[in-house]
Amino acid sequence: MRQLTLFLALFITGKLAAQNIREVDICIYGGTSAGVIAGYTAKKMNKSVLVIEPGKRLGGLTSGGLGYTDIGNKYAITGLSRDFYRRIGKHYGRFETWIFEPGVAERTFQQYIKEGGVEVLYQQPILAAKKDGKRITEIQTASAIIRAKMFIDCSYEGDLMAKAGISYTVGREDNSQYGETYNGVQLREKHQFPDGIDPYKEPGKPASGLVWGISPDQLEKPGTGNKKIQAYNFRICLTNEPGNRIPITEPADYDPARYELLLRVVQKLQPKNLSGMLKIDLMPNHKTDINNNGPISTDMIGMNYNYPEADYATREKITRDHELYNKGLLYFIGHDPRMPEHLRKEMLQWGYPKDEYPESGNWSPQMYVREARRMVGAYVMTQANCESKEIVNDGIGMAAYTMDSHNCQRIVVNGMVKNEGDVQIGGFGPYPIAYRSIIPKADDCNNVFVPVCMSASHIAYGSIRMEPVFMVLAQSAAVAAAMAIDNHQSVQEVNVSKLQAFLRQKPLATDARAEILVDNDDSAHVSKKGEWQRETKGAYGPSMFISKSTGSIRYTPEVTRSGTYRIYTYVPKRSDLPSSTQIRLSADGRSARQVSYTPASVKVEGQTSGEWVDLGTINLTKGKKAYVEISSEGKDGEVVADAVLFYPQ
């Protein structure tokens, strides 16, 4: 904080030594996962690029603890975002992996930076943005002035966007604003206190005051908009490997009174293990990604309202408060004598990993900023888009996750403590995200993209705000920025059809052969014999086919570039797979060879859903002669026919 304060003081007093002025084609603010992918893409588009990172570490939350990746449906994740999870998979000896350690993610992002030759300036928070009419001409950081033709704001807070005077909002809209049903105030049962938990320091005595963490605010009418922000926390990496474990000790400013409500919930519910208060997802090498779970957990509800608009010093304090609250929670569970012994013993098995975050005391420097500012751009994504009641034709990426909001406040309702704001509504398939939602209105600015704090209502943002999706949108933004520069256009004038075509033809932003995906829903390339039932749950893409009689499903790829391809078929997590699934592979449409897979070969450990099963390699020539055919002959279980992938070697 002292260093940042000094930078600010020097800037204000005009004493920065010999101003460092940099000029590039594209300036990217925020070295998050999105920022890294945007920088790499822009370099592959032959543009000069500079990434400005306000902190010391690349990758944002993806390298900051969120290793148990929130996806919804892997079909929605394309391009370099998907490539990232395949690079992670290669590290672990797999084709693709969505569960990984923070350090592995950070090193993978550094690979992109090195391969792309992307320059990164660290510890450079933005101080100001200068505009000429509707165009940003430069931004100022603590020690540099960066001039660029195009800017991409990849920060979680939308600081460049705000400094440039672009329209944005904070908080929850009223349901009536966009004709939604899940926005605004929502009192629901998920992550909720059971009835009967007393909110007062002395039970039954309102005069004693409220227990720490409870707001005196009154419950508003359902659907009412307000400026309250869904809770933040840290995605916590711990380990139970004795040789790599640092004990969880009492943190600074520890106050057990902050966890009084946890004691009351434990007394009421008597949980058998830590899952009653912590969502512990296991990672490789005996590590965790711990997230919020239950009525009182790692979410520091109601303590982040000032964060989106705060200055850097205030944000640093809010982040530190969240860190100490989370560390205190872990210590309380393991050491407070009032906690049940079996929970204390279970907690004491865990500690901070010596080999993660060594530069920041073995604790993630990235707080989970689930939502801060959101641009009000050329198009606002809403609940109608998530539910496919409104489908845009300028999609430049997809989302598929549940409409997800964590709790926004903890209040007293009918004499009992209750959480308010948690929403988890799913049941829909992948849907397109509008190009217009990552660009400002023309009256605001014409040379900036905002792929992270993009234009969406609170509840729609809850579905879109996933790290893989941010990377997809950032790649699209970088390609569009390059196109705008080449054609001397504003961001509003970019030809979206050409942008979409480029993203399809060059998913890795290079001339490398693109993979060929044939999904079961692609009727032009899929034919079936026999009776197959269409199911959606657990599928790759909109659906999958389940056999109901003897038959087959044939996938016929359209090969545009000859070469050797490795073939994979997608198998979801299911307990009713047959002992063996028979598959025929043909390169020429005449001769075929037989392959098969067994349930044992579907290694879904290390995955958040299904798995790609390797069927071997095949030499394909240009055209539509080859096929892959999944057969249900002699089945003793439910044969699954979902997506088939032809991956260039």
Side-chain angles (χ1 to χ4, degrees):
M1 185 183 295
R2 288 195 299 271
Q3 185 180 24
L4 177 58
T5 303
L6 176 61
F7 279 152
L8 291 171
L10 289 171
F11 174 76
I12 293 170
T13 57
K15 294 181 180 179
L16 282 174
Q19 287 184 327
N20 179 18
I21 298 176
R22 303 292 303 277
E23 295 190 15
V24 292
D25 292 323
I26 300 174
C27 174
I28 297 159
Y29 182 72
T32 59
S33 60
V36 172
I37 294 302
Y40 176 86
T41 303
K43 284 290 286 187
K44 292 300 179 182
M45 298 293 291
N46 298 313
K47 296 293 176 278
S48 57
V49 179
L50 190 60
V51 174
I52 308 299
E53 165 52 32
K56 300 178 182 179
R57 185 182 175 93
L58 287 179
L61 200 60
T62 298
S63 66
L66 203 166
Y68 195 84
T69 309
D70 298 317
I71 313 165
N73 193 317
K74 293 176 182 176
Y75 178 83
I77 311 307
T78 55
L80 288 168
S81 180
R82 188 161 58 196
D83 179 68
F84 170 81
Y85 297 100
R86 290 184 180 162
R87 291 189 184 209
I88 293 286
K90 185 177 181 180
H91 172 85
Y92 291 111
R94 306 283 289 270
F95 173 57
E96 186 176 275
T97 300
W98 305 74
I99 299 176
F100 48 83
E101 300 156 271
V104 172
E106 198 270 341
R107 290 190 290 275
T108 303
F109 284 124
Q110 289 288 357
Q111 287 176 6
Y112 282 107
I113 293 298
K114 183 177 180 180
E115 288 175 18
V118 180
E119 184 180 0
V120 182
L121 295 183
Y122 293 94
Q123 295 182 273
Q124 296 294 313
I126 186 173
L127 303 179
K130 185 177 179 181
K131 290 173 75 177
D132 181 4
K134 304 302 179 184
R135 192 171 189 83
I136 302 172
T137 56
E138 64 184 36
I139 64 170
Q140 298 171 341
T141 70
S143 62
I145 292 175
I146 300 95
R147 295 170 181 165
K149 299 170 184 175
M150 288 284 159
F151 292 84
I152 305 176
D153 188 344
C154 288
S155 68
Y156 292 123
E157 296 83 6
D159 284 343
L160 190 158
M161 169 184 71
K163 296 290 186 186
I166 294 166
S167 301
Y168 65 85
T169 188
V170 174
R172 300 180 284 180
E173 295 92 350
D174 194 287
N175 265 331
S176 62
Q177 184 168 344
Y178 295 117
E180 298 174 308
T181 56
Y182 301 123
N183 213 329
V185 170
Q186 301 283 330
L187 188 66
R188 293 173 173 266
E189 296 303 313
K190 188 71 173 177
H191 300 299
Q192 186 58 274
F193 285 90
D195 287 349
I197 302 296
D198 195 290
Y200 304 109
K201 292 178 181 177
E202 295 182 35
K205 296 182 179 180
S208 66
L210 294 169
V211 171
W212 184 91
I214 302 176
S215 167
D217 290 354
Q218 299 298 305
L219 179 65
E220 296 172 279
K221 180 182 176 182
T224 301
N226 57 36
K227 297 300 181 183
K228 294 175 179 176
I229 309 297
Q230 63 172 307
Y232 300 165
N233 68 346
F234 280 84
R235 297 292 287 255
I236 304 172
C237 185
L238 300 180
T239 182
N240 60 1
E241 176 62 44
N244 194 35
R245 184 177 61 198
I246 300 172
I248 296 170
T249 56
E250 180 179 315
D253 299 323
Y254 175 69
D255 182 359
R258 292 182 175 181
Y259 313 103
E260 172 64 27
L261 286 175
L262 179 60
L263 284 176
R264 297 184 186 185
V265 170
V266 167
Q267 277 187 334
K268 178 86 171 180
L269 299 180
Q270 299 185 358
K272 295 181 180 180
N273 52 51
L274 292 179
S275 65
M277 58 208 75
L278 299 172
K279 184 178 184 291
I280 303 177
D281 289 311
L282 300 180
M283 314 295 283
N285 296 315
H286 307 282
K287 295 175 186 174
T288 69
D289 171 357
I290 295 178
N291 198 7
N292 183 82
N293 196 44
I296 176 167
S297 183
T298 59
D299 277 1
M300 199 176 183
I301 298 172
M303 306 297 176
N304 60 340
Y305 296 162
N306 294 332
Y307 183 90
E309 302 278 30
D311 59 33
Y312 295 119
T314 303
R315 282 188 189 162
E316 192 170 336
K317 182 181 184 308
I318 292 171
T319 301
R320 178 66 171 164
D321 289 345
H322 279 69
E323 176 184 337
L324 294 178
Y325 168 79
N326 275 249
K327 287 180 173 178
L329 174 68
L330 301 177
Y331 180 79
F332 180 88
I333 294 171
H335 294 85
D336 195 286
R338 295 169 294 173
M339 287 292 291
E341 184 179 10
H342 69 283
L343 297 179
R344 282 186 279 130
K345 285 184 176 180
E346 185 181 354
M347 188 71 248
L348 291 175
Q349 297 175 13
W350 298 98
Y352 305 121
K354 294 178 183 178
D355 61 348
E356 296 290 352
Y357 316 120
E359 72 286 350
S360 57
N362 307 102
W363 183 266
S364 174
Q366 180 61 64
M367 182 169 66
Y368 195 170
V369 179
R370 291 188 171 93
E371 184 176 343
R373 301 180 178 103
R374 301 188 313 280
M375 179 170 65
V376 180
Y379 181 88
V380 179
M381 298 287 293
T382 69
Q383 179 182 328
N385 297 109
C386 300
E387 296 175 332
S388 294
K389 294 177 181 177
E390 183 174 329
I391 302 175
V392 301
N393 59 15
D394 62 339
I396 39 79
M398 289 183 289
Y401 200 73
T402 296
M403 287 183 284
D404 182 321
S405 173
H406 282 235
N407 280 302
C408 300
Q409 58 180 334
R410 181 172 289 150
I411 54 177
V412 179
V413 180
N414 299 325
M416 300 177 290
V417 60
K418 293 291 178 183
N419 291 332
E420 183 279 309
D422 188 276
V423 180
Q424 296 181 46
I425 305 293
F428 46 82
Y431 60 91
I433 301 168
Y435 172 77
R436 289 164 293 160
S437 71
I438 67 169
I439 63 172
K441 293 177 286 190
D443 288 344
D444 278 349
C445 187
N446 61 23
N447 70 329
V448 68
F449 294 87
V450 186
V452 176
C453 294
M454 43 83 67
S455 181
S457 70
H458 159 73
I459 199 59
Y461 192 76
S463 172
I464 297 168
R465 62 170 182 82
M466 304 302 150
E467 291 285 294
V469 177
F470 287 154
M471 287 190 266
V472 170
L473 297 180
Q475 179 177 353
S476 300
V479 173
M483 291 173 64
I485 291 171
D486 290 344
N487 297 315
H488 306 286
Q489 295 173 320
S490 70
V491 299
Q492 292 84 11
E493 294 170 327
V494 169
N495 186 316
V496 178
S497 295
K498 290 184 178 180
L499 170 61
Q500 293 168 326
F502 185 95
L503 294 169
R504 286 193 302 270
Q505 294 161 8
K506 296 188 176 183
L508 300 182
T510 68
D511 290 324
R513 273 185 297 147
E515 63 186 48
I516 306 168
L517 176 70
V518 184
D519 189 60
N520 65 286
D521 287 289
D522 185 359
S523 59
H525 298 277
V526 175
S527 60
K528 59 181 184 290
K529 295 179 181 179
E531 183 182 356
W532 296 80
Q533 179 175 308
R534 189 173 185 268
E535 292 188 10
T536 58
K537 187 176 181 181
Y540 188 91
S543 76
M544 60 187 167
F545 290 135
I546 308 296
S547 65
K548 293 302 174 184
S549 66
T550 298
S552 62
I553 301 283
R554 178 173 289 193
Y555 299 78
T556 304
E558 183 172 354
V559 181
T560 57
R561 293 178 65 180
S562 301
T564 302
Y565 291 77
R566 186 167 290 277
I567 302 177
Y568 297 87
T569 185
Y570 191 81
V571 183
K573 285 184 178 180
R574 292 180 69 93
S575 60
D576 55 359
L577 294 175
S579 57
S580 179
T581 296
Q582 302 302 312
I583 301 173
R584 288 185 286 272
L585 309 181
S586 176
D588 56 12
R590 297 186 301 274
S591 60
R593 60 185 169 94
Q594 191 93 358
V595 298
S596 64
Y597 71 84
T598 64
S601 66
V602 186
K603 300 176 181 179
V604 293
E605 76 279 357
Q607 305 292 11
T608 54
S609 52
E611 170 71 300
W612 289 107
V613 175
D614 188 349
L615 303 179
T617 60
I618 191 169
N619 292 317
L620 300 180
T621 56
K622 187 175 180 180
K624 300 180 181 180
K625 296 179 181 179
Y627 68 79
V628 172
E629 189 171 84
I630 298 176
S631 172
S632 61
E633 295 173 4
K635 69 185 182 70
D636 56 359
E638 299 289 349
V639 173
V640 176
D642 201 340
V644 172
L645 179 67
F646 300 80
Y647 194 70
Q649 299 298 288

